[in-house]
Amino acid sequence: MKIERIELRHVKLVLVSPFVTSMGTEYDEEHIIVRVDADGVTGWGESVAEGTPFYSYETVPTAWHILRDFLIPSILGKDISTVDEAIAGYAKVRGHMMAKAGLEAALWDALAKTKGISLSQMLGGTRKKIDVGVSIGIQDSVEGLLKKIGGYLAEGYKRIKIKIAPGFDLQFVEAVRKEFPGILFQVDANSAYTLDDIGIFKKMDDYNLLLIEQPLGYEDIFDHSKLQRELKTPICLDESIHSLDDTRAAIELDSCRIINIKPGRVGGFTESKLIHDYCASMNIPVWCGGMLESGIGRAGNVALASLSNFTLPGDISASKRYYKEDIVEPEFVVNPDGTMDVPTNPGIGVEVNMKNLEKVTVRSESYKG
Ligand code: OSB
Ligand code: MG
């Protein structure tokens, strides 16, 4: 597959409602859409670097710089037949996982299209439908949260995740459990606590949570092992895991018993698969996280979540939960039974709506081989 042209688009999508976490409030989501034209097919990827360096050090400008000055020059004009060959070409670049993942995703899509198979099939997926959950930001009131959860459960979502932060934790957890005793329910702290807060997590241990996501430091593995030792509830790491090596360290130290895999955070589908396979061999369940992606990134997450060890519902929700209009067709919907269909058409399996993509594009640049 000869890489003829690569295009980057800085996009800005306005969320249907603000998303509040321990990291701040997001009103819109800025990402980079990567387009690769090769051998008469077009591959699409989404780099989930955001407008702010609050979840990750990467931002749209840092990812753009790494893509334009290092990653794209390493493959432009080349003839590649596997994604591994492309990765080998930029293996010298350290870190910048979100920049790498956006380009890798576009290459996976293009290669799958040249072979006429779906991305799910190309990644080794086995499911035709995946179980999906929803991630809910911090709400002003307990009543407001319960109402939101009731609405999502009525739409079919199989698992509820709420964001927590100091001062916005136990009272919400307690109220949700009381109102919805039987649901799959988990919390995500986005690194808002320290080991000094162990008392809060010991209390949380009584609410039969599916997991507690990233309670401590955003690069930490060691303190999480001390916390996990004191809890029955599994800890799940998100921010701290950037690679298979991080995963091995976290599992061997018993820092967590579940892993959230986000392709953007670990450099792409290739590393995601390695983490997935290792976790399967260690009996560690994984689930697919989200970064408020547009339909392009969402399609990749859906394909990834079709692999067999993605046994817990992911943060993969319907397009309309995030955006009034998606930039793909058809948009992603949740079935009444809380599943989402894995697209079967070649590559990501959905079409990019060029009119909508144009509307959300802030800046674009293209490079020719
Ligand atoms: O920590 O999982 C997270 C969104 C942006 C950044 C970090 C996170 C999230 C979410 C939303 O929780 C997941 C989604 O629905 O895309
Ligand atoms: Mg998280």
Side-chain angles (χ1 to χ4, degrees):
M1 181 177 81
K2 177 140 192 291
I3 312 293
E4 289 141 16
R5 178 177 178 274
I6 299 183
E7 178 184 87
L8 300 181
R9 283 173 185 259
H10 174 176
V11 295
K12 182 169 172 166
L13 292 108
V14 180
L15 290 161
V16 288
S17 59
F19 191 62
V20 183
T21 71
S22 64
M23 305 174 287
T25 303
E26 293 187 75
Y27 298 90
D28 45 51
E29 197 62 18
E30 294 181 56
H31 284 166
I32 298 171
I33 300 298
V34 183
R35 170 182 174 154
V36 170
D37 287 290
D39 284 0
V41 302
T42 298
W44 296 94
E46 179 165 347
S47 173
V48 296
E50 300 185 290
T52 52
F54 302 154
Y55 169 80
S56 155
Y57 67 86
E58 292 187 79
T59 60
V60 167
T62 72
W64 193 284
H65 158 56
I66 296 299
L67 279 159
R68 181 194 59 202
D69 297 333
F70 298 99
L71 308 182
I72 292 172
S74 77
I75 62 162
L76 204 57
K78 291 219 178 109
D79 203 344
I80 59 159
S81 48
T82 64
V83 174
D84 283 346
E85 286 171 43
I87 295 174
Y90 58 74
K92 284 201 293 200
V93 178
R94 293 183 178 174
H96 299 283
M97 302 316 204
M98 293 173 174
K100 290 172 180 168
L103 179 60
E104 214 206 89
L107 294 171
W108 276 100
D109 182 31
L111 272 169
K113 283 169 175 163
T114 61
K115 294 179 198 299
I117 63 174
S118 71
L119 180 58
S120 163
Q121 204 180 336
M122 181 124 158
L123 290 171
T126 51
R127 294 169 213 282
K128 297 199 158 40
K129 291 171 188 291
I130 55 163
D131 289 342
V132 295
V134 62
S135 171
I136 305 175
I138 296 170
Q139 304 294 309
D140 295 334
S141 69
V142 165
E143 299 71 48
L145 176 62
L146 296 179
K147 202 165 157 235
K148 268 219 143 139
I149 293 177
Y152 286 128
L153 292 173
E155 285 181 52
Y157 287 101
K158 293 211 174 185
R159 185 227 65 194
I160 299 294
K161 155 169 152 183
I162 65 166
K163 294 289 186 176
I164 56 168
F168 301 87
D169 42 38
L170 288 169
Q171 73 276 37
F172 287 94
V173 170
E174 188 184 6
V176 173
R177 248 312 164 234
K178 205 164 151 224
E179 184 84 8
F180 306 105
I183 62 168
L184 294 182
F185 176 40
Q186 66 193 51
V187 296
D188 187 0
N190 290 110
S191 299
Y193 299 86
T194 71
L195 276 181
D196 293 340
D197 301 308
I198 193 157
I200 295 176
F201 294 106
K202 285 199 157 170
K203 286 189 189 135
M204 242 179 241
D205 223 9
D206 294 335
Y207 293 104
N208 188 28
L209 298 177
L210 187 57
L211 59 89
I212 298 171
E213 187 175 345
Q214 197 73 32
L216 309 179
Y218 61 87
E219 297 286 356
D220 173 76
I221 290 180
F222 185 51
D223 281 356
H224 281 100
S225 76
K226 293 187 177 173
L227 181 60
Q228 180 68 87
R229 210 181 285 161
E230 303 294 325
L231 302 177
K232 299 189 298 278
T233 311
I235 291 176
C236 169
L237 289 178
D238 173 355
E239 280 90 330
S240 296
I241 304 294
H242 304 285
S243 61
L244 174 61
D245 286 348
D246 289 344
T247 309
R248 285 177 36 240
I251 301 307
E252 289 199 21
L253 283 168
D254 193 26
S255 305
C256 66
R257 294 175 186 162
I258 296 175
I259 297 277
N260 163 335
I261 301 182
K262 290 180 184 173
R265 203 193 59 231
V266 303
F269 298 133
T270 304
E271 196 74 9
S272 299
K273 267 168 63 71
L274 294 175
I275 294 171
H276 164 273
D277 294 352
Y278 168 78
C279 287
S281 77
M282 299 297 281
N283 275 318
I284 297 289
V286 305
W287 55 282
C288 186
M291 292 292 294
L292 311 174
E293 289 88 348
S294 78
I296 293 176
R298 190 164 313 282
N301 290 349
V302 171
L304 182 64
S306 72
L307 273 68
S308 62
N309 194 40
F310 281 84
T311 51
L312 297 173
D315 276 350
I316 303 178
S317 309
S319 300
K320 68 165 192 200
R321 175 259 174 276
Y322 307 92
Y323 305 109
K324 204 164 142 245
E325 285 187 317
D326 206 336
I327 59 176
V328 301
E329 284 170 328
E331 62 171 40
F332 286 92
V333 296
V334 173
N335 301 317
D337 67 352
T339 62
M340 194 176 272
D341 298 340
V342 179
T344 53
N345 289 335
I348 59 172
V350 287
E351 293 296 322
V352 173
N353 179 324
M354 292 306 295
K355 196 166 133 253
N356 286 1
L357 176 61
E358 208 54 62
K359 276 198 268 183
V360 298
T361 300
V362 177
R363 167 163 95 106
S364 66
E365 228 168 68
S366 65
Y367 316 92
K368 278 206 157 148

